[in-house]
Amino acid sequence: MRLHRLDITAFGPFGGAQSVDFDELSAAGLFLLHGPTGAGKTSVLDAVCYALYGAVPGARQSGQGMALRSDHADPRTRTEVRLELTVAGRRLEITRQPPWERAKLRGSGTTVDKAQSWLREYDAGTGAWKDLSRSHQEIGEEITQLIGMSREQFCQVVLLPQGDFARFLRADAEARGRLLGRLFDTQRFAEVEKRLAERRRAAEAEVRDGDAALLADAHRMQQAAGSAMELPELTPGEPGVAEAVLSAAAVARSTLREELTVAQCRLAAAESGQAAAERALADVRETARLQRRFADARERAALLQERADTHREAQARMERARKAEAVAPALELRDAADAEHRRASSARARALALLPDTYADAGAAGLAAVARRAAEELGGLESARRAEQRLAELAEERDVLDRQERADEEILQEAEAWLGGWETTRAELQRRIDSAQEAATRAEQLSVRREPAERRLKAARTRDRLTEELASAADQVRRAKEETLAAKEHWLEVKERRLNGIAAELAAQLTAGEPCAVCGATEHPAPARKDAGHVGREAEERAHTAFQRAEARQAEQERGLGAVREALAAATAEAGDTPTAQLADEMAELERQFAEARRDASVLHSAREELRRAEQEHERRATARRRAEVSVAERVGHRERLEQERAALEGELAEARGALESVAARAAQLERQVALLSDAADSARAAEDSARRLKDADARLADAAFRAGFETPRAAADALLDNAEHRELQRRLDAWQSEEAAVRAMLAEADAAAAAQLPPADPEAAEQAAAEAGRRLRDAASARDAAARRCAELDRLSARAAQGVRRIAPLRTQYDRVARLAALTAGTSAENERKMRLESYVLAARLEQVAAAATVRLRRMSSGRYTLVHSDDRAGRGRSGLGLHVVDAWTGRERDTATLSGGETFFASLALALGLADVVTDEAGGVRLDTLFIDEGFGSLDDQTLDEVLDVLDSLRERDRSVGIVSHVADLRRRIHAQLEVVKGRSGSVVRQRGVG
């Protein structure tokens, strides 16, 4: 990734438009971004981050949205950041505009424009810019994918801000692994782990499912075989499941086949006994049936004889009913005519009761004539009815006008009352907005001061703690020196005593006749003797070892004292001489002021919303007042036209109403009269017609009864039978004939007569014998069938179990292979001694490369003292393989990076960041990092170390990479010629480029 150009307008401290040409600055390889405190050096980096990710780094995220706007900007100028860069071989231009509160184009007050974003790409073929997107989300996803880092990772690797410089150096394994995974694109290795784990789970599930199915078949076989099969306790996936199931099934099949043979023999014997019992039962039942049939025939013959008279009476009644059926049509016709005549007479009486008595003797023709005259008069009232309806509509229209007039008067009164206090309301809301805006600005200023104050307070507390530890460490060094001195004196004393008695020690080794090791003589007349204070070599060596141990402890204590002094010096440089209590009070006061400002600024949005709603209400009230005034003027002319039409209609209706109160009442009266007269005429006509039809029906009925042989029509009617009576009488006659024929046939049967001569049969005894034989047969058949079913089911399940065993065998082999490989890549296998995952293994290799690349520069920066090494050790429960340690050449020991001093931490972090950039750039398919920014930290270096660091940074131009240093250290302006200076003033900050081109 390489930056080309940055354009800033009304952003942060920059009130106007400012441009930064990174191509010119990067040509020197190393450039300096400097300026006084508060001028806006860090704001340039904020603008780069905001252009890429739509947000600023770290703790400055609270200054988002409209708070990014410069207080020095012209109210008509919108805040904008435009960045041109090359990433992944594509030249892009990103433009972002945060939300902007501007004056309304119409009326007073302000409105907020939403945030805007543009992404364009330069087409080298056409030489023009091509629009790609205007969506915040799409642009964010595209930039993050191209750069390969999130905003936090970008700030941690490329845009190293104040306070966050050493985060990657001191990050834990998980955080370091996430960043390296994004930079080196090791997601494919994580996918391999995931894929192997999924395949292991799938294979395991298949094996367990196969074993579960096999055990399910085994339990079914055990249920089918009963006690013939014994199955041990087995678990799916357990080795030996198949062999145990198949062995138990083979034993059970042999046992069940023996039981089936015994059951077949018992069934054959039971079948023979049951057949003999069935034949005997059939003979007894037939004899009993014939005896009962003959006795029943005799009883039925006696009963028929008793009911012979009743049968003859039924035959005579059926004959009279057949004759009366010829008269039935005439009877039905006469009954219908009589009912119709009664209904018509009743209807005529009801209709005449509703008319005056003068119409009582009027016939159907007279009533019809009167009804026609009333209908003619009703037709003449239609025009008057329409006029009366229009008059009612006019009254309703006048009521509507009255209601509208009252409503408009209320609207005018409310609008006047509300609009009268508008200016006061608007001024109060604007005052609240201004107050909240001032609080937001104050909160932003206090937010910038909080982090330095917090670091200083933390350093002061560290200073106090280290001051106490320094005294303790100095005391330990003093005691260690005393112990070392005592051990040395003891060793020297022991050594001197041994030297004094060395002659006796040599004499002890002399042998008569052997030459002396000192003089060579073979005679030893007066060898020396050991005195009481003599010591040997072992005692001297023990004293010397004790002295060396004391000396080593002294050196260790002195190194610890030096480390405490270095840490104390760094903390004192950061915190100064100000007491910790005073710094804590200042920090508490700063937090209180910040919280108070945040609380006062929190009402800014609600106050703006309330002002917007009040302006909308003002517009609505004014519009309502104008509409009400227009409506009042229009109603005056409408009311006059209604009054003129009402007077004309009332004159026309006075004549049409007559004595009644309305034309509608007169019309209703005539309508009722016409309806009553018409109904009465129709009823009278129907009564006259029904009387004629009744007289004709009486004559036809008398003639039909005479021809059928009845003296009167009433006699014929009495002889008739309804359908139910006729069916019942016919059923009785038919039943008599059927019963008589059946009795004669039964008495004529020879078998029944012969059986009646035999002794009475006993079917119950025969049935009991047959039932007992049947029970024995059923029991034998059930036993045989059960044995056969168990054998068949066991054979079927055994075959299926054997097939399942053959199917599971390759699955179990595949599962063993996949599970071993998945455990190895996941770090859970015993073969993986480091318990290192595959992705961690790849990242560890990359981190080892990063440490090696960083060491090249770190050794140069530290004059050969420090080396960064990669560690595979596990950190607690975290992942292994991503540890970083520093080796101190002065002590020869490896220690944690947290023990480095402030300046050492700075250049170690810088070397690590540069090494990371080198390895990422060299990685095939990795993200190329051509531009790095370092925000502060050089003030903690001495002159010699600063020279070394700058030489390392200056060497980056060999790899066509540039580094921007953000610092106000004066010495850097003399050492670095390419500079971007930020100058602050009352109208805002401006940028100046020097020493380039």
Side-chain angles (χ1 to χ4, degrees):
M1 181 195 71
R2 178 177 294 278
L3 305 183
H4 299 295
R5 183 179 181 86
L6 175 66
D7 295 321
I8 307 173
T9 303
F11 182 87
F14 304 103
Q18 303 294 322
S19 297
V20 180
D21 191 342
F22 285 111
D23 286 336
E24 291 186 0
L25 291 172
S26 301
L30 186 65
F31 63 90
L32 176 66
L33 175 57
H34 69 94
T37 302
K41 302 185 297 298
T42 304
S43 295
V44 175
L45 307 187
D46 290 348
V48 173
C49 186
Y50 183 73
L52 292 174
Y53 296 97
V56 295
R60 297 187 292 280
Q61 293 182 46
S62 58
Q64 296 288 64
M66 289 182 288
L68 296 176
R69 179 172 175 78
S70 175
D71 295 333
H72 303 286
D74 187 279
R76 295 167 296 181
T77 302
R78 179 158 189 177
T79 302
E80 181 179 276
V81 176
R82 180 181 292 109
L83 178 64
E84 186 177 339
L85 74 159
T86 297
V87 58
R90 299 169 61 185
R91 185 151 184 159
L92 304 175
E93 182 189 78
I94 310 169
T95 303
R96 292 190 188 271
Q97 295 178 348
W100 180 39
E101 184 179 7
R102 59 168 177 82
K104 289 185 176 179
L105 299 178
R106 297 177 182 175
S108 60
T110 60
T111 184
V112 177
D113 286 348
K114 295 181 179 179
Q116 301 288 332
S117 297
W118 294 269
L119 177 62
R120 300 196 303 168
E121 182 175 5
Y122 183 74
D123 189 347
T126 61
W129 290 93
K130 177 177 65 176
D131 291 335
L132 295 182
S133 177
R134 295 193 63 177
S135 169
H136 300 297
Q137 183 176 1
E138 290 179 358
I139 294 174
E141 293 175 353
E142 181 73 12
I143 295 301
T144 302
Q145 183 176 2
L146 289 175
I147 297 178
M149 290 178 284
S150 65
R151 177 177 58 82
E152 294 78 6
Q153 293 167 337
F154 178 83
C155 295
Q156 190 172 328
V157 176
V158 178
L159 198 66
L160 303 175
Q162 298 180 19
D164 294 339
F165 196 79
R167 186 187 301 174
F168 181 73
L169 179 67
R170 296 176 176 176
D172 58 16
E174 292 297 328
R176 194 175 289 148
R178 287 193 296 271
L179 174 61
L180 294 174
R182 292 291 297 272
L183 293 177
F184 293 106
D185 190 21
T186 59
Q187 183 62 29
R188 61 188 183 277
F189 298 103
E191 290 297 328
V192 169
E193 296 178 26
K194 181 179 178 182
R195 179 60 179 162
L196 286 173
E198 291 175 352
R199 289 187 60 185
R200 179 188 61 77
R201 288 192 295 270
E204 181 182 7
E206 290 180 352
V207 171
R208 293 181 68 86
D209 290 345
D211 285 350
L214 180 61
L215 289 177
D217 288 341
H219 289 301
R220 295 189 186 97
M221 287 188 287
Q222 189 176 30
Q223 292 176 354
S227 60
M229 180 174 181
E230 295 183 358
L231 190 66
E233 291 292 333
L234 298 172
T235 304
E238 179 182 351
V241 172
E243 292 76 3
V245 171
L246 295 181
S247 299
V251 174
R253 287 197 303 274
S254 176
T255 302
L256 289 182
R257 287 192 180 93
E258 294 176 359
E259 294 179 356
L260 177 60
T261 301
V262 174
Q264 288 174 342
C265 295
R266 292 177 178 174
L267 176 62
E271 287 176 347
S272 300
Q274 196 268 344
E278 288 291 336
R279 290 192 297 271
L281 176 62
D283 295 341
V284 172
R285 284 177 174 173
E286 180 63 19
T287 301
R289 185 185 68 79
L290 292 175
Q291 289 176 349
R292 288 194 302 272
R293 182 178 179 83
F294 190 79
D296 184 57
R298 286 183 176 178
E299 292 177 357
R300 289 163 64 185
L303 185 60
L304 288 174
Q305 186 64 32
E306 293 176 358
R307 295 186 302 182
D309 295 338
T310 304
H311 176 62
R312 286 191 290 272
E313 291 177 0
Q315 286 180 327
R317 185 176 181 187
M318 179 61 76
E319 184 64 25
R320 285 177 55 81
R322 290 195 182 97
K323 293 179 180 180
E325 287 177 357
V327 189
L331 283 170
E332 293 175 358
L333 183 62
R334 196 269 173 191
D335 292 340
D338 183 59
E340 182 181 0
H341 178 63
R342 285 196 296 272
R343 287 195 298 272
S345 299
S346 299
R348 180 180 62 181
R350 289 194 298 271
L352 291 175
L354 299 175
L355 296 174
D357 295 339
T358 56
Y359 297 106
D361 297 331
L367 293 171
V370 176
R372 284 194 296 274
R373 288 194 296 275
E376 292 173 357
E377 183 179 358
L378 177 62
L381 292 177
E382 185 63 30
S383 176
R385 182 182 298 175
R386 287 194 297 272
E388 187 176 46
Q389 183 177 2
R390 176 55 185 161
L391 186 61
E393 293 175 354
L394 292 176
E396 292 180 358
E397 290 184 13
R398 287 194 303 170
D399 293 340
V400 171
L401 290 177
D402 293 339
R403 290 194 298 272
Q404 291 178 350
E405 183 176 5
R406 290 192 297 272
D408 288 340
E409 289 177 357
E410 293 178 358
I411 292 174
L412 288 172
Q413 292 175 0
E414 292 179 359
E416 291 296 339
W418 194 91
L419 293 173
W422 162 242
E423 291 301 329
T424 303
T425 301
R426 183 176 179 277
E428 174 61 22
L429 292 175
Q430 188 61 45
R431 184 194 62 76
R432 289 173 56 193
I433 291 174
D434 295 341
S435 176
Q437 184 66 53
E438 293 175 359
T441 302
R442 189 167 64 255
E444 182 178 2
Q445 296 170 351
L446 292 172
S447 176
V448 175
R449 294 168 51 194
R450 286 172 65 217
E451 186 175 354
E454 187 175 358
R455 290 201 305 270
R456 191 177 180 191
L457 176 59
K458 183 178 180 182
R461 289 172 176 166
T462 304
R463 177 197 63 196
D464 296 346
R465 177 178 56 79
L466 292 176
T467 300
E468 297 176 359
E469 293 180 0
L470 181 62
S472 177
D475 185 60
Q476 291 177 358
V477 169
R478 181 185 55 78
R479 289 197 301 270
K481 288 181 177 180
E482 293 175 355
E483 292 175 357
T484 302
L485 182 59
K488 184 176 182 180
E489 291 177 352
H490 177 66
W491 169 55
L492 293 176
E493 179 184 358
V494 172
K495 184 176 182 181
E496 183 178 3
R497 289 170 58 190
R498 180 169 179 262
L499 290 176
N500 292 335
I502 194 66
E505 186 175 338
L506 292 174
Q509 300 176 359
L510 295 176
T511 303
E514 296 292 333
C516 175
V518 178
C519 63
T522 58
E523 295 182 0
H524 316 295
R529 298 288 187 267
K530 293 182 180 179
D531 58 12
H534 177 72
V535 294
R537 177 186 297 273
E538 292 81 2
E540 180 187 357
E541 290 178 350
R542 285 196 300 271
H544 186 259
T545 302
F547 164 65
Q548 289 178 332
R549 290 176 181 172
E551 192 176 30
R553 285 195 297 272
Q554 177 185 346
E556 180 67 24
Q557 296 295 339
E558 289 176 346
R559 285 194 296 272
L561 178 61
V564 172
R565 284 174 176 169
E566 290 179 3
L568 178 60
T572 304
E574 178 73 22
D577 298 330
T578 306
T580 304
Q582 180 180 346
L583 292 177
D585 294 340
E586 293 175 357
M587 185 63 191
E589 178 62 21
L590 186 60
E591 290 289 350
R592 185 192 65 77
Q593 294 177 2
F594 177 71
E596 181 179 358
R598 286 282 299 274
R599 183 176 63 254
D600 295 341
S602 64
V603 301
L604 177 60
H605 178 70
S606 60
R608 285 174 175 167
E609 286 295 317
E610 189 173 354
L611 177 58
R612 182 183 61 79
R613 291 194 296 269
E615 290 174 345
Q616 292 176 350
E617 182 66 15
H618 175 268
E619 184 66 23
R620 187 184 68 80
R621 296 277 186 172
T623 302
R625 181 176 64 181
R626 290 193 296 271
R627 290 176 179 173
E629 291 173 349
V630 172
S631 179
V632 169
E634 291 177 348
R635 276 196 302 275
V636 175
H638 191 192
R639 189 183 295 277
E640 292 177 355
R641 291 192 297 273
L642 293 180
E643 289 298 331
Q644 293 173 1
E645 187 178 359
R646 183 183 61 79
L649 290 175
E650 285 182 349
E652 179 183 348
L653 293 175
E655 180 179 358
R657 284 195 295 262
L660 296 177
E661 59 182 7
S662 66
V663 175
R666 176 59 181 161
Q669 182 185 40
L670 290 175
E671 288 176 354
R672 288 194 300 274
Q673 185 176 359
V674 169
L676 293 175
L677 289 172
S678 298
D679 291 343
D682 293 340
S683 300
R685 190 179 299 108
E688 293 172 358
D689 294 341
S690 63
R692 288 194 300 272
R693 287 194 292 272
L694 177 59
K695 184 176 180 181
D696 294 341
D698 284 338
R700 285 196 292 273
L701 176 59
D703 183 62
F706 178 75
R707 286 198 300 271
F710 293 98
E711 296 179 357
T712 63
R714 172 54 55 191
D718 293 340
L720 280 175
L721 296 174
D722 58 20
N723 291 334
E725 291 175 339
H726 186 277
R727 286 194 299 272
E728 176 61 23
L729 185 59
Q730 185 63 47
R731 185 191 64 75
R732 287 164 54 192
L733 294 174
D734 293 343
W736 173 275
Q737 293 177 357
S738 299
E739 180 69 8
E740 186 179 23
V743 168
R744 284 198 298 270
M746 290 171 61
L747 293 176
E749 291 178 358
D751 293 342
Q757 304 299 322
L758 298 175
D762 188 3
E764 292 184 0
E767 287 176 355
Q768 291 178 357
E772 180 63 23
R775 183 188 62 75
R776 289 192 296 271
L777 177 62
R778 286 192 300 274
D779 292 344
S782 296
R784 193 279 313 271
D785 292 344
R789 282 195 303 272
R790 287 197 298 272
C791 287
E793 181 67 10
L794 190 59
D795 291 341
R796 183 183 67 82
L797 292 175
S798 297
R800 189 166 74 176
Q803 183 180 1
V805 170
R806 289 191 297 273
R807 181 179 57 82
I808 294 173
L811 294 179
R812 186 178 295 279
T813 302
Q814 180 182 4
Y815 165 68
D816 293 339
R817 182 173 60 255
V818 172
R820 180 173 173 270
L821 187 58
L824 183 64
T825 59
T828 59
S829 172
E831 297 174 317
N832 191 336
E833 297 179 357
R834 295 284 183 180
K835 304 301 180 183
M836 189 182 301
R837 292 169 41 202
L838 176 61
E839 183 184 14
S840 299
Y841 177 77
V842 176
L843 291 179
R846 296 294 184 266
L847 184 59
E848 190 171 1
Q849 296 175 355
V850 171
T855 295
V856 174
R857 295 186 174 91
L858 179 59
R859 290 179 62 84
R860 185 174 176 183
M861 294 179 186
S862 63
S863 300
R865 179 179 180 182
Y866 292 118
T867 301
L868 279 176
V869 295
H870 158 254
S871 174
D872 284 334
D873 295 336
R874 295 173 60 90
R877 295 186 177 181
R879 71 169 81 190
S880 62
L882 297 179
L884 274 178
H885 291 166
V886 62
V887 177
D888 190 343
W890 291 5
T891 63
R893 297 199 176 189
E894 180 179 322
R895 54 193 173 100
D896 193 271
T897 55
T899 62
L900 295 174
S901 66
E904 293 169 343
T905 297
F906 169 74
F907 62 68
S909 301
L910 178 58
L912 186 60
L914 296 177
L916 179 63
D918 288 343
V919 176
V920 170
T921 302
D922 294 339
E923 172 72 11
V927 181
R928 180 174 178 83
L929 305 178
D930 296 321
T931 305
L932 299 177
F933 291 94
I934 305 169
D935 191 354
E936 289 299 348
F938 292 89
S940 61
L941 305 179
D942 55 57
D943 292 340
Q944 180 181 354
T945 305
L946 182 60
D947 288 337
E948 297 292 345
V949 171
L950 292 179
D951 288 343
V952 171
L953 295 178
D954 189 57
S955 66
L956 293 176
R957 69 180 68 193
E958 299 173 1
R959 299 176 62 93
D960 193 22
R961 186 180 302 146
S962 61
V963 175
I965 297 175
V966 184
S967 178
H968 52 62
V969 176
D971 193 37
L972 291 176
R973 293 197 289 273
R974 296 190 300 271
R975 299 169 183 257
I976 302 176
H977 300 290
Q979 299 179 8
L980 178 65
E981 182 180 8
V982 182
V983 182
K984 66 179 179 180
R986 290 185 176 274
S987 59
S989 299
V990 296
V991 296
R992 299 174 184 171
Q993 292 188 201
R994 296 191 302 162
V996 296

